[in-house]
């Protein structure tokens, strides 16, 4: 079978219009992989029409902003979807109108889709896969494309701290840094905090609830967000302010998305496999980091029971 990376590069060469997509509520890896791949294509094929569709994440606007893409743009286009495990999370109304679809992902392939699929669960980030694709392509990798892709790697690896970070991750990151982008600017944009945000984080830590002495969680209601003049998009990524507290084996952020009519659950652990629980509640993800949805606060108790079952039965991540 033809090498997948070579096949994907050939498809990119074949199409005049290419649209890069990622998941709803995009994080750094979603942004970095989609915008980084789009920038790489633009730099090497300036006569192609290259678009990035989806909602804007205000926290990540320092990287790039999506294009205004219409349904007619998808006609005869190649769509490349990165960092998106299932079709429900694709941030586009029109992706199925494309002529051909490629899925590039590092999540478990629970919902296969697309004409071509490149799935590698061993990678810390999809942006690591994109880095591998572009750096082995013998085409130009500009500092702007490298900046975007590097940001995806650094965010999904939590600054190279998570277990799937490996020698290859550092090698690829080093090659990206060698292109000369401003590394300090990336870290400053990602981790600089406003005093308002710091105060609200401290408030949320004071609201931590504990279940069975082993699971910590915070309930963040729409009223709470409005009272403190905070947005869902701003607060949702903060789940890891509860990480590395040794008493808690699993921690969870339960934040109400009033506009969409659901409560988003961000579930994390350093040891226990949580994605199977997330899959029961309209979600999924990595073994140690998953997302889910419930539609009423009363359902949170059952989620906690399911997570407690994981701990009780010692369902642990074994690495790899």
């Amino acid at each position: 079978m033809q090498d997948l990376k070579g096949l994907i590069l050939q498809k990119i060469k074949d199409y005049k219009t290419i649209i890069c997509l990622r998941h709803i509520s995009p994080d750094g890896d979603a942004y970095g992989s989609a915008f980084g791949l789009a920038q790489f294509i633009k730099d090497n094929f300036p006569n192609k029409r290259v678009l990035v569709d989806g909602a804007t994440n205000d926290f990540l606007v320092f990287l790039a902003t999506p294009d205004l893409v219409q349904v007619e743009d998808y006609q005869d286009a190649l769509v490349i979807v990165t960092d998106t495990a299932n079709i429900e999370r694709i941030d586009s109304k029109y992706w199925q109108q494309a002529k051909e679809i490629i899925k590039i992902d590092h999540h478990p392939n629970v919902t296969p889709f697309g004409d071509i699929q490149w799935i590698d669960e061993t990678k810390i980030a999809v942006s690591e896969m994109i880095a591998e694709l572009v750096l082995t392509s013998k085409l130009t990798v500009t500092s702007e494309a490298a900046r975007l892709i590097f940001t995806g790697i650094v965010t999904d690896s939590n600054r190279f701290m998570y277990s799937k970070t490996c020698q290859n991750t550092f090698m690829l990151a080093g090659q990206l840094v060698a292109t000369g982008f401003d590394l300090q600017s990336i870290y400053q944009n990602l981790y600089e905090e406003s005093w308002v945000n710091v105060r609200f984080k401290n408030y949320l830590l004071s609201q931590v609830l504990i279940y069975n002495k082993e699971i910590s969680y915070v309930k963040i209601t729409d009223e709470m967000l409005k009272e403190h003049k905070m947005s869902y998009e701003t607060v949702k990524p903060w789940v890891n302010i509860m990480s590395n507290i040794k008493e808690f084996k699993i921690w969870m952020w339960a934040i109400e998305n009033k506009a969409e009519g659901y409560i988003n659950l961000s579930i994390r652990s350093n040891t226990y496999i949580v994605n199977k629980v997330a899959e029961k509640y309209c979600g999924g993800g990595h073994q140690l980091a998953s997302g889910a949805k419930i539609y009423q606060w009363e359902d949170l108790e059952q989620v906690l029971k399911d997570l407690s079952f994981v701990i009780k039965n010692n369902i642990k991540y074994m690495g790899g």
Side-chain angles (χ1 to χ4, degrees):
M1 187 176 74
Q2 186 179 1
D3 174 68
L4 270 176
K5 292 192 287 291
L7 179 58
I8 291 168
L9 287 169
Q10 186 58 53
K11 291 295 181 181
I12 288 170
K13 292 173 184 177
D14 289 345
Y15 279 84
K16 293 181 179 179
T17 300
I18 300 159
I19 302 174
C20 294
L21 303 177
R22 30 60 178 184
H23 61 74
I24 58 173
S25 301
D27 56 9
D29 191 26
Y31 248 54
S33 59
F35 282 107
L37 179 57
Q39 187 64 49
F40 167 77
I41 298 169
K42 290 176 185 178
D43 292 335
N44 287 280
F45 305 101
N47 294 325
K48 293 185 184 294
R49 191 158 181 253
V50 185
L51 303 168
V52 180
D53 201 359
T56 300
N57 181 329
D58 291 340
F59 176 68
L60 295 170
V61 291
F62 75 93
L63 290 175
T65 53
D67 300 295
L68 184 61
V69 186
Q70 306 295 336
V71 62
E72 53 267 24
D73 295 318
Y74 283 82
Q75 304 302 317
D76 296 319
L78 171 67
V79 159
I80 304 176
V81 185
T82 59
D83 199 34
T84 309
N86 48 51
I87 60 176
E88 293 83 5
R89 288 181 56 76
I90 299 174
D91 197 356
S92 167
K93 296 178 181 178
Y94 313 121
W95 66 276
Q96 290 174 302
Q97 302 297 318
K99 186 173 182 180
E100 200 162 3
I101 297 162
I102 297 173
K103 176 184 182 180
I104 306 176
D105 195 22
H106 69 140
H107 297 94
N109 198 19
V110 176
T111 309
F113 65 85
D115 302 287
I116 298 169
Q117 298 182 76
W118 177 23
I119 312 296
D120 190 344
E121 294 181 45
T122 69
K123 302 301 184 186
I124 191 66
V126 169
S127 293
E128 182 179 354
M129 298 171 68
I130 300 300
E132 205 171 79
L133 175 72
V134 304
L135 290 168
T136 60
S137 68
K138 299 182 181 180
L139 297 171
T140 299
V141 181
T142 63
S143 61
E144 178 58 14
R147 179 183 77 97
L148 294 161
I149 297 166
F150 178 87
T151 304
I153 295 174
V154 82
T155 51
D156 240 32
S157 67
N158 194 14
R159 290 171 283 184
F160 306 103
M161 290 195 294
Y162 290 157
S163 62
K164 288 185 180 179
T165 303
C166 64
Q167 180 181 352
N168 190 60
T169 313
F170 285 110
M171 182 189 72
L172 294 169
Q175 291 180 50
L176 294 171
V177 171
T179 64
F181 61 82
D182 187 345
L183 186 61
Q184 182 179 355
S185 175
I186 290 174
Y187 282 106
Q188 186 168 349
N189 276 289
L190 286 174
Y191 303 112
E192 188 175 63
E193 295 262 31
S194 70
W195 178 235
V196 170
N197 285 6
V198 170
R199 287 178 63 187
F200 191 57
K201 283 185 178 182
N202 285 334
Y203 168 75
L204 292 175
L205 283 172
S206 75
Q207 302 299 304
V208 170
L209 300 168
I210 301 170
Y211 187 85
N212 280 358
K213 300 181 181 181
E214 297 175 317
I215 301 170
S216 63
Y217 65 104
V218 179
K219 295 170 62 175
I220 307 167
T221 65
D222 183 64
E223 290 77 13
M224 191 185 295
L225 293 172
K226 287 177 178 175
E227 180 184 348
H228 293 270
K229 297 180 180 178
M230 303 298 293
S231 70
Y232 169 87
E233 290 77 15
T234 298
V235 176
K236 180 180 175 287
W238 293 354
V239 58
N240 279 328
I241 66 172
M242 293 190 292
S243 66
N244 299 317
I245 301 173
K246 67 179 182 179
E247 289 85 357
F248 304 138
K249 297 175 180 177
I250 295 174
W251 60 97
M252 179 170 62
W253 220 228
I255 178 169
E256 186 174 7
N257 186 333
K258 191 77 169 181
E260 300 294 332
Y262 64 84
I263 298 155
N264 184 85
L265 306 178
S266 296
I267 311 168
R268 303 289 186 269
S269 177
N270 288 327
T271 308
Y272 291 89
I273 295 174
V274 298
N275 63 332
K276 296 302 179 184
V277 173
E279 288 170 12
K280 290 179 62 177
Y281 299 94
C282 307
H286 301 292
Q287 290 184 319
L288 302 180
S290 292
K293 294 178 184 177
I294 55 175
Y295 294 90
Q296 54 188 6
W297 285 109
E298 290 77 9
D299 293 337
L300 190 59
E301 178 73 16
Q302 187 58 52
V303 177
L304 291 165
K305 288 180 180 178
D306 290 342
L307 293 171
S308 186
F309 177 87
V310 169
I311 296 171
K312 182 179 179 181
N313 288 274
N314 208 33
I315 305 174
K316 289 186 175 182
Y317 174 69
M318 302 307 293

